[in-house]
Amino acid sequence: MSELKERLLPPRPASATNLKDSVSRPSASGRQPLKGVDVSGLKKRGQGLRSWIRVDTLGDTQVIEVDKFTMMRRCDLPARDLRLLDPLFVYPSTILGREKAIVVNLEQIRCIITADEVLLLNSLDNYVFRYVVELQQRLKTSSVGEVWQQDNDFGNSSPDYLPFEFRALEVALEAACTFLDSQASELEIEAYPLLDELTSKISTLNLERVRRLKSRLVALTRRVQKVRDEIEQLMDDDGDMAEMYLTEKKKRMEGSFDVDQSSLGNRSNDCLSVYAPVSPVSSPPGSQRLEKSLSIARSRHDSARSSEGATENIEELEMLLEAYFVVIDSTLNKLTSLKEYIDDTEDFINIQLDNVRNQLIQFELLLTTATFVVAIFGVVAGVFGMNFEIDFFQQRDAFKWVLIITGSCGMVIFLAFIWFFKYRRLMPL
């Protein structure tokens, strides 16, 4: 991996090595130049040159520097498709099939796939280098297998053979699905213990951690959902899948070019034979009809074979997309289960909080009732402490009987209050 990085990364410019000397030396006019400004780098960025990693069909890698317009002419792509590969902008995952290329934007993998090469933006990201290494290994392994198969099967193609663009697309899909699944697994490992701790101990710190976890889950679910929708959209559209079969289109274009060249040669031969003598014996009309019918049948057979081949190619791509659709769908189900577990935990916490709230309301009602009962004794004491004369106040046991009656009435009121709220189900007891 380190050797591949050293070989793929662009060399350090000389302006960066001599930057300290250029900054320390004043200019001819006596002015001090701007510190930390690489003039050659600004000129290079002004030209729009970018470093690309090129991987051919044999697995050989090469670092090239191409500007935007050259890349547009090379891959026959509009500017809006190249904008999807710009690392300065964040775009959702996209797979676009064009006339001569496939534009892939899947997480960290941003590349252009043609029938002959794969072009990736040169980056320090480890996922880019892993993609290059994995693609190299698969291309070299497949090339060895094809040579062995041609030696043993006399040139018969294997039903499991995939064109170059599909193999490159498969590695990109595998890298994106593996990356998203690993993030989902890490989120699961972090989430379940935290949620279990939150159910046992509700605190502000645990609630804040769960809130951050839920925001990460929502963002990851959105990314996984976008990749799943993109694969599903390709599987539902046969035209887009047929458009992505670049090797077949290239062979057809080369075949049509050979046919045009042969037709031009026949026309030139016809022009040369104009002055040749014509045979007086003409072919019979029956043979002309037979030849015409045979040519029509041959053309129909060729068109049927081409349509069957296109259908088989679409089926091959559909099987490839379906395999990774199952993988990304399982990742989405994993995140959905985690979200449901978080929702269940939130419901459980809300039930606990409602229970505590009901207990507080119950205690408040009991305290209010006790305060009412005690207030009755305060009323009795206030009545007996008045300054006017009543004969009942002069009796010996009057105050004792008043306290007994008042206490009994307060106890009856308190028991009636408890019975009312218990049997009316206004509060849990």
Side-chain angles (χ1 to χ4, degrees):
M1 183 70 72
S2 60
E3 295 179 357
L4 181 62
K5 285 186 179 181
E6 293 177 358
R7 187 157 54 91
L8 292 181
L9 289 177
R12 188 177 181 183
S15 58
T17 58
N18 300 329
L19 180 61
K20 184 177 180 180
D21 298 336
S22 62
V23 171
S24 60
R25 291 195 302 267
S27 61
S29 60
R31 296 180 179 178
Q32 187 74 14
L34 295 176
K35 295 183 179 181
V37 177
D38 189 0
V39 181
S40 62
L42 291 176
K43 183 177 180 181
K44 183 178 180 180
R45 286 193 293 270
Q47 294 175 355
L49 293 176
R50 286 186 177 178
S51 179
W52 296 78
I53 302 175
R54 178 182 178 272
V55 184
D56 58 6
T57 55
L58 299 178
D60 298 330
T61 58
Q62 181 185 3
V63 177
I64 59 176
E65 292 184 355
V66 185
D67 60 349
K68 180 178 180 180
F69 299 100
T70 305
M71 184 62 67
M72 291 168 57
R73 291 192 299 268
R74 180 171 183 168
C75 302
D76 195 12
L77 293 175
R80 62 177 179 272
D81 291 344
L82 288 181
R83 196 177 299 117
L84 296 174
L85 307 178
D86 196 343
L88 299 178
F89 299 97
V90 179
Y91 290 98
S93 298
T94 308
I95 302 175
L96 299 176
R98 298 307 184 203
E99 183 66 25
K100 295 182 180 180
I102 301 174
V103 181
V104 178
N105 179 15
L106 293 175
E107 296 299 323
Q108 286 83 3
I109 306 301
R110 300 184 178 187
C111 61
I112 301 174
I113 303 174
T114 63
D116 301 323
E117 60 185 2
V118 178
L119 298 170
L120 298 97
L121 283 173
N122 199 352
S123 174
L124 295 175
D125 196 351
N126 290 327
Y127 286 96
V128 175
F129 290 101
R130 292 178 185 176
Y131 173 81
V132 174
V133 172
E134 183 66 23
L135 183 59
Q136 282 181 335
Q137 293 177 355
R138 295 196 182 187
L139 290 176
K140 291 178 180 179
T141 304
S142 62
S143 62
V144 173
E146 290 171 9
V147 172
W148 180 83
Q149 185 180 4
Q150 289 178 1
D151 295 338
N152 291 275
D153 297 342
F154 302 101
N156 294 327
S157 61
S158 172
D160 296 332
Y161 168 75
L162 288 177
F164 170 74
E165 63 272 12
F166 288 175
R167 282 178 282 177
L169 180 61
E170 181 182 7
V171 177
L173 288 171
E174 182 179 355
C177 294
T178 305
F179 174 71
L180 293 174
D181 188 71
S182 63
Q183 283 198 343
S185 301
E186 292 177 0
L187 199 62
E188 275 187 336
I189 294 173
E190 183 181 357
Y192 286 112
L194 179 59
L195 294 173
D196 294 338
E197 182 182 357
L198 181 63
T199 54
S200 60
K201 181 182 179 181
I202 302 174
S203 61
T204 306
L205 179 60
N206 291 335
L207 290 174
E208 178 65 22
R209 292 170 62 187
V210 171
R211 185 189 66 82
R212 295 177 182 176
L213 179 68
K214 191 173 182 179
S215 62
R216 289 169 53 193
L217 175 63
V218 171
L220 183 59
T221 304
R222 189 181 298 113
R223 290 158 54 191
V224 173
Q225 183 70 41
K226 186 64 178 72
V227 176
R228 180 185 180 276
D229 293 342
E230 195 68 24
I231 297 176
E232 186 178 9
Q233 183 180 0
L234 286 176
M235 293 172 58
D236 293 338
D237 196 339
D238 294 342
D240 289 344
M241 287 192 291
E243 191 74 17
M244 295 171 65
Y245 204 86
L246 305 178
T247 303
E248 184 67 24
K249 290 193 291 185
K250 182 181 178 182
K251 291 180 180 179
R252 290 176 184 175
M253 291 178 63
E254 291 176 354
S256 62
F257 180 75
D258 294 338
V259 170
D260 294 338
Q261 292 292 334
S262 61
S263 63
L264 289 176
N266 292 332
R267 287 179 183 176
S268 62
N269 293 331
D270 293 339
C271 293
L272 292 175
S273 62
V274 168
Y275 300 98
V278 181
S279 175
V281 181
S282 61
S283 60
S287 63
Q288 293 180 358
R289 293 194 187 119
L290 180 61
E291 184 179 358
K292 184 176 181 180
S293 62
L294 288 175
S295 63
I296 293 174
R298 191 181 300 110
S299 64
R300 290 179 179 176
H301 180 66
D302 294 338
S303 63
R305 287 182 60 187
S306 63
S307 62
E308 290 177 359
T311 305
E312 291 178 359
N313 295 333
I314 291 175
E315 290 178 357
E316 290 177 358
L317 179 58
E318 187 174 5
M319 291 175 62
L320 174 65
L321 294 175
E322 186 176 357
Y324 289 98
F325 177 79
V326 173
V327 175
I328 200 68
D329 189 63
S330 65
T331 304
L332 184 61
N333 292 333
K334 188 185 300 182
L335 295 175
T336 304
S337 301
L338 181 58
K339 185 178 182 301
E340 291 177 356
Y341 191 80
I342 292 177
D343 294 337
D344 295 339
T345 305
E346 290 180 351
D347 295 338
F348 179 73
I349 291 173
N350 290 330
I351 292 173
Q352 284 186 336
L353 294 177
D354 291 339
N355 187 22
V356 173
R357 191 181 300 110
N358 290 334
Q359 291 178 359
L360 291 176
I361 293 173
Q362 177 185 358
F363 179 74
E364 183 181 1
L365 292 175
L366 293 176
L367 186 62
T368 303
T369 306
T371 305
F372 174 72
V373 172
V374 174
I376 295 176
F377 290 95
V379 171
V380 173
V383 170
F384 276 92
M386 291 183 180
N387 295 325
F388 53 88
E389 294 288 338
I390 298 178
D391 296 337
F392 183 73
F393 292 168
Q394 302 298 328
Q395 296 181 7
R396 183 177 178 181
D397 297 332
F399 186 73
K400 180 177 67 175
W401 286 105
V402 169
L403 289 179
I404 293 173
I405 295 173
T406 304
S408 301
C409 293
M411 185 61 65
V412 170
I413 294 173
F414 184 73
L415 294 175
F417 172 80
I418 293 178
W419 175 87
F420 178 78
F421 283 100
K422 181 178 181 180
Y423 290 98
R424 293 289 182 175
R425 299 179 183 272
L426 295 180
M427 60 180 295
L429 292 175

